[in-house]
Amino acid sequence: MHVFLLSLALLAGDEAGSEGYEFKWPIRRVAIVGAGASALLAYRDFVQAGFEVRLFERDNVPGGNWHYTDEAPADTPVPNVAIPLADFVPSFAPAGVDLPYSVDYENDAEIRKDHRGPKPVWESLRSNAPSIPELPWPAGTKWELTHYQLRNYIRAFASYHNINSNDDNPAVSYNTRVELIEKRLNDQGEEQGWRLWLKKITPTGNNTSRATWWSEDFDAVTIASGRYNAAVTPSIPGLSEWVRRFSERISHSRQYRRPHVYDGKTVLIVGASVSGSEISRDINKSAKRVYQSIRANPAAHYRVVNYLRRIPSNTTIVSEIKQFLPLDADAPFESGRIELKNGTIITGIDHIIFATGFRYSFPFLPHYYDGAAYTPHEGSSRRATPFLPTDGSHIRDLYLDLFYIRDPTLALLGVNFGTQTFSYNNYLTLALAKVWSNTAKLPSVAGMWQMYDKVLEDRGGHGRHFQFLGPQRLAANIRFFMGWLNEAAVEYGGKQIDGLPQYTAEVNDYWLASHYGGALEENVTMRAIEADLFSTMGLDSLSFENMFGDKKEAAYQLMFDDNW
């Protein structure tokens, strides 16, 4: 960790390419994909920096994941859809037609739902999210907030910056999905900027709407579409047959809304991270019985036993699932048998909820996935170097987890976890605004790759936790951004930025102790409890001894993540 912190001194690029990066074209027109908190922060900073900005949001209001609706997403396919298309399948106007092009839909409920993408939020979900520094929470605001409060807070921020859905701001296009992003060619056949292929659905009646396709060109693009778009269900033998026969009994946590659906039922929840443990807690008073299937995960950043402290004691904890045994012909779902890895057979299940997480999915970047076969539109570049793995586990080739190194006019915002969106992304959006307006400098390409390689080594290589920060990395990143951006402001002018309020860590400590019923110390007792638990299920206890220099940090990762 000390090597990593020391290497942050190189981030500004003195030793890593002192000449700095020079953009190949001037950046004047900027696109933002999404209208969650990160995207709204980006809009604010881009407008203040003098850019011409366009923001595209597939939903009908701002807020991203904090827009709760009773309408739930569609079933998660089993086996999983290929990650590049796991969020949605892009839709285009017929070949050869002039754009813009429109089509009218009837009985369009499913079309509208797929277009807007209902969010994975349930009715009772609460969060400990800090405020956006520009808009502090009013005095007396509780430390744990409902999703309704968070939704209203984000909309208030949007209204303050004239980008809410009822502000009639021509720079913002709601109900608009980005179907494709391509590198654009200029009249000389050289790459210059980006082209976005867009689709907007406008309601025309109770069950009718009009779709319109068109394209727009930009000098730079910020993708802020979120981390929770592609739900993942594990590949477990026999599961596909169960889903084929009884799809209405098997769901993903992103579809969960309220506990009454499970009144008097026996429910199996697969997974015990935040969503799994919180949904288990929510349905406990309604369900007849709850089973919680957990697994020993050597890639975890904290002990599963910490999450289990949130689960009511009358929940039956069981081990990882080995297989779903074949169903007898015409037999009811409740007679199905599930074999666990410790040999136990459970049956009598009425519903199964897979709280098994999400992966990164960018359907509008198909040509940037490993092994992609792609034919560009006329006027678009054929060159595309993949930086997205097909399993959706991580994102490669980003400097500061933000700028695409091969072309820093493309940025992916808010891809980190183990941090908090409302506060940390203020540093990222200001960095984007300053770099693209040439009031802060990136290192040379060689310098960015040099730093990327150091980050790759520090984080133990690519994989599911490559974008994870946690408290030490987060603090180091914030110190770097403050030094870099404030020094740039002294040299070029413009906004400076402060660190997080001093009380932030203290508030998180209190919230954590309250939420989990006591401090989550990483100590001998906790390790013994976990070893005991795994032993009873026939699983090996995990060894976290070499994962962190500070053992307490393993438990305290929780407080630096969005409570999801």
Side-chain angles (χ1 to χ4, degrees):
M1 186 62 72
H2 294 297
V3 173
F4 173 74
L5 296 179
L6 180 63
S7 68
L8 285 171
L10 300 178
L11 281 165
D14 290 340
E15 292 88 342
S18 58
E19 69 278 9
Y21 183 85
E22 294 294 333
F23 288 98
K24 297 179 178 65
W25 55 83
I27 299 174
R28 300 187 182 92
R29 197 161 193 261
V30 178
I32 302 172
V33 182
S38 301
L40 302 182
L41 292 170
Y43 181 92
R44 173 201 64 191
D45 286 336
F46 291 164
V47 168
Q48 290 176 357
F51 293 112
E52 179 187 348
V53 187
R54 286 278 278 148
L55 184 147
F56 302 102
E57 166 58 46
R58 64 193 287 190
D59 208 343
N60 56 8
V61 293
N65 279 327
W66 297 115
H67 178 206
Y68 169 84
T69 59
D70 285 336
E71 180 185 53
D75 292 344
T76 302
V78 177
N80 296 305
V81 171
I83 285 294
L85 300 175
D87 185 8
F88 63 87
V89 177
S91 168
F92 299 99
V97 301
D98 293 331
L99 298 181
Y101 176 82
S102 296
V103 167
D104 290 328
Y105 294 137
E106 295 183 358
N107 301 317
D108 64 341
E110 288 303 311
I111 293 172
R112 284 198 209 182
K113 183 166 76 170
D114 172 72
H115 185 82
R116 66 165 291 265
K119 308 305 185 287
V121 176
W122 56 93
E123 203 279 333
S124 67
L125 180 66
R126 294 174 178 268
S127 175
N128 64 326
S131 64
I132 297 170
E134 181 186 1
L135 188 64
W137 293 114
T141 300
K142 293 181 179 180
W143 290 346
E144 187 170 71
L145 304 168
T146 68
H147 63 78
Y148 293 108
Q149 290 171 302
L150 287 164
R151 175 202 67 182
N152 294 341
Y153 175 78
I154 295 172
R155 291 187 190 179
F157 181 80
S159 292
Y160 182 72
H161 289 282
N162 192 40
I163 46 178
N164 210 336
S165 51
N166 59 351
D167 287 330
D168 298 323
N169 184 341
V172 181
S173 187
Y174 286 101
N175 297 307
T176 303
R177 198 170 69 183
V178 176
E179 306 295 317
L180 182 65
I181 300 175
E182 292 184 304
K183 181 67 68 65
R184 182 171 57 87
L185 299 177
N186 62 20
D187 293 339
Q188 289 73 46
E190 302 165 330
E191 293 182 348
Q192 184 174 333
W194 303 85
R195 178 161 294 155
L196 271 59
W197 300 85
L198 304 156
K199 178 184 180 183
K200 181 168 187 171
I201 291 187
T202 305
T204 55
N206 289 334
N207 298 298
T208 61
S209 59
R210 174 168 297 153
T212 301
W213 290 267
W214 78 102
S215 66
E216 294 187 31
D217 295 343
F218 298 90
D219 302 311
V221 177
T222 295
I223 296 170
S225 53
R227 305 192 306 267
Y228 301 104
N229 297 324
V232 173
T233 303
S235 297
I236 302 174
L239 177 58
S240 293
E241 182 195 356
W242 283 47
V243 170
R244 181 179 57 80
R245 293 259 312 262
F246 298 103
S247 61
E248 73 283 357
R249 301 288 194 96
I250 301 172
S251 61
H252 191 274
S253 60
R254 70 170 183 167
Q255 298 171 286
Y256 178 73
R257 291 297 183 265
R258 291 188 174 89
H260 68 82
V261 175
Y262 306 100
D263 287 355
K265 305 295 184 181
T266 296
V267 183
L268 169 63
I269 299 176
V270 183
S273 190
V274 177
S275 58
S277 58
E278 294 301 311
I279 291 172
S280 178
R281 186 181 180 90
D282 200 35
I283 70 174
N284 185 269
K285 294 180 180 179
S286 301
K288 175 183 177 182
R289 186 173 188 179
V290 179
Y291 290 96
Q292 194 99 26
S293 172
I294 68 172
R295 67 189 179 108
N297 181 6
H301 284 278
Y302 27 75
R303 296 187 179 280
V304 69
V305 70
N306 289 326
Y307 284 130
L308 297 185
R309 293 167 68 171
R310 289 285 293 168
I311 296 174
S313 58
N314 61 344
T315 297
T316 303
I317 306 297
V318 299
S319 73
E320 188 174 352
I321 298 170
K322 178 180 179 181
Q323 64 176 323
F324 290 82
L325 294 169
L327 295 161
D328 294 334
D330 301 323
F333 183 81
E334 297 81 0
S335 69
R337 297 180 303 139
I338 302 169
E339 181 182 357
L340 307 178
K341 287 201 171 179
N342 65 357
T344 301
I345 304 291
I346 60 174
T347 190
I349 304 296
D350 297 301
H351 291 275
I352 301 173
I353 301 173
F354 280 94
T356 45
F358 299 82
R359 297 290 185 272
Y360 298 99
S361 178
F362 304 100
F364 41 79
L365 297 175
H367 41 313
Y368 287 102
Y369 277 91
D370 291 338
Y374 172 72
T375 302
H377 288 84
E378 184 178 354
S380 298
S381 175
R382 292 182 174 275
R383 296 192 304 169
T385 302
F387 65 97
L388 300 170
T390 53
D391 65 359
S393 61
H394 63 282
I395 305 170
R396 305 189 304 265
D397 303 352
L398 300 181
Y399 175 66
L400 301 176
D401 291 317
L402 180 62
F403 294 95
Y404 179 45
I405 296 175
R406 290 185 175 85
D407 186 346
T409 61
L410 178 68
L412 281 80
L413 180 61
V415 301
N416 291 113
F417 62 109
T419 181
Q420 289 182 317
T421 302
F422 292 11
S423 55
Y424 181 57
N425 282 356
N426 279 272
Y427 302 95
L428 307 186
T429 58
L430 183 58
L432 284 172
K434 284 181 176 291
V435 166
W436 285 349
S437 62
N438 280 317
T439 56
K441 297 294 184 180
L442 292 174
S444 66
V445 172
M448 286 189 277
W449 281 119
Q450 181 180 338
M451 190 57 220
Y452 179 80
D453 290 340
K454 292 183 178 184
V455 170
L456 181 63
E457 181 181 1
D458 172 73
R459 298 181 185 177
H462 293 130
R464 185 177 172 188
H465 294 280
F466 182 58
Q467 261 71 41
F468 181 85
L469 291 183
Q472 288 195 10
R473 291 171 185 157
L474 176 65
N477 282 10
I478 288 175
R479 287 197 298 272
F480 161 70
F481 278 110
M482 288 176 62
W484 175 37
L485 300 178
N486 290 344
E487 183 179 350
V490 171
E491 182 173 356
Y492 298 103
K495 187 166 72 173
Q496 296 199 0
I497 195 164
D498 296 324
L500 297 180
Q502 293 297 314
Y503 58 79
T504 300
E506 183 180 0
V507 168
N508 278 327
D509 278 342
Y510 280 116
W511 175 84
L512 189 69
S514 172
H515 191 72
Y516 288 94
L520 303 186
E521 297 288 348
E522 186 70 4
N523 54 34
V524 174
T525 302
M526 294 297 285
R527 291 195 290 274
I529 292 171
E530 189 171 80
D532 236 22
L533 175 66
F534 288 152
S535 176
T536 61
M537 297 187 300
L539 299 175
D540 292 330
S541 181
L542 303 184
S543 172
F544 285 74
E545 300 308 313
N546 299 316
M547 187 169 285
F548 301 101
D550 177 3
K551 298 301 184 290
K552 181 178 177 181
E553 182 187 354
Y556 275 78
Q557 304 291 353
L558 289 165
M559 73 183 188
F560 286 91
D561 205 359
D562 293 323
N563 182 24
W564 201 245

